[in-house]
Amino acid sequence: GAGVSQSPSNKVTEKGKDVELRCDPISGHTALYWYRQRLGQGLEFLIYFQGNSAPDKSGLPSDRFSAERTGESVSTLTIQRTQQEDSAVYLCASSVDRVTGELFFGEGSRLTVL
Amino acid sequence: AQTVTQSQPEMSVQEAETVTLSCTYDTSESDYYLFWYKQPPSRQMILVIRQEAYKQQNATENRFSVNFQKAAKSFSLKISDSQLGDAAMYFCAYRSRNTPLVFGKGTRLSVIA
């Protein structure tokens, strides 16, 4: 597609349920990032993928959070046993390369945990 | 760890006037990139301008320009001839070979007609 695509756009779930968020990056972009943005806050780095290298998971807040990416295609961010504090917008971005390429962002998935 | 600080949670500007948004950062690296992103209510993050640390010349993109002071670790954004469409959250960000893109907490800019 022309841009980074994320789904679902909005997700409401009950506390304790698992959720999966999907990101479809721009074709040919080797780098993919996940960020979390709480209401009125800045963006918190979660995880980064670069080609076939081991992902940088240093930003994941707990072991309830995990992400996968197959090659240079779609990525899924999974949150297990969701908590109310997980409510946020989850933004995905992709870039041509790790350092110099501009990051292109999707519109995000808004997660609300009741 | 690299940190980015935006000390102005909110700013306002009259239409057609000029406004400057502040950003400072902390790093021990010498080679890095700095960015300003705009986030309108639609949530889409849009790159406004970028600056390579090795370049002394300040970046300019139409009405947007930066004042990059490497020694002071300062990277401010100047918006000239402000327009209603400039109203948004603005985030300063830092990136390097060893650091993924790190954002400040943002400045909410209002444009008054």
Side-chain angles (χ1 to χ4, degrees):
Chain A
V4 177
S5 178
Q6 292 189 245
S7 62
S9 180
N10 287 284
K11 175 72 175 178
V12 179
T13 190
E14 293 180 347
K15 179 181 172 181
K17 300 281 190 183
D18 297 352
V19 297
E20 272 193 4
L21 307 176
R22 175 188 170 108
C23 173
D24 200 342
I26 294 172
S27 178
H29 281 193
T30 61
L32 186 148
Y33 303 75
W34 283 99
Y35 287 85
R36 178 172 70 180
Q37 185 177 28
R38 291 194 166 115
L39 185 64
Q41 301 294 313
L43 279 71
E44 302 171 67
F45 166 74
L46 296 178
I47 188 169
Y48 156 79
F49 297 89
Q50 171 67 60
N52 294 317
S53 301
D56 178 352
K57 303 180 181 180
S58 60
L60 293 179
S62 77
D63 59 7
R64 296 187 296 104
F65 288 72
S66 63
E68 292 184 350
R69 186 186 189 195
T70 305
E72 296 181 0
S73 61
V74 172
S75 175
T76 55
L77 176 69
T78 301
I79 308 173
Q80 296 178 310
R81 305 181 302 282
T82 52
Q83 304 293 314
Q84 288 183 334
E85 68 209 39
D86 300 332
S87 296
V89 175
Y90 290 83
L91 289 162
C92 175
S94 70
S95 70
V96 171
D97 66 59
R98 188 197 192 293
V99 182
T100 62
E102 174 186 345
L103 266 68
F104 291 84
F105 283 82
E107 293 189 355
S109 294
R110 181 181 298 280
L111 174 65
T112 302
V113 182
L114 301 177
Chain B
Q2 283 70 27
T3 57
V4 177
T5 302
Q6 293 179 249
S7 59
Q8 306 154 316
E10 296 184 356
M11 292 283 284
S12 62
V13 61
Q14 292 279 350
E15 198 175 4
E17 296 297 310
T18 296
V19 64
T20 299
L21 308 184
S22 300
C23 173
T24 59
Y25 58 95
D26 185 22
T27 185
S28 57
E29 297 174 311
S30 59
D31 188 17
Y32 51 87
Y33 299 81
L34 297 165
F35 305 84
W36 279 97
Y37 277 86
K38 171 185 177 181
Q39 187 180 41
S42 68
R43 299 200 308 239
Q44 185 91 48
M45 294 285 284
I46 302 165
L47 178 65
V48 174
I49 198 165
R50 62 181 282 167
Q51 173 82 42
E52 290 85 354
Y54 63 85
K55 289 186 177 179
Q56 293 187 344
Q57 186 173 6
N58 289 324
T60 299
E61 287 288 341
N62 301 313
R63 297 183 295 107
F64 299 87
S65 62
V66 298
N67 183 5
F68 173 47
Q69 302 289 328
K70 191 172 184 179
K73 296 179 183 173
S74 171
F75 183 62
S76 60
L77 174 69
K78 185 171 82 171
I79 306 174
S80 303
D81 186 25
S82 298
Q83 301 176 0
L84 294 177
D86 294 334
M89 284 290 289
Y90 286 82
F91 293 96
C92 179
Y94 170 104
R95 185 182 183 191
S96 73
R97 189 168 297 279
N98 301 316
T99 304
L101 197 61
V102 176
F103 289 86
K105 292 188 181 299
T107 297
R108 182 176 301 280
L109 178 66
S110 301
V111 181
I112 304 165

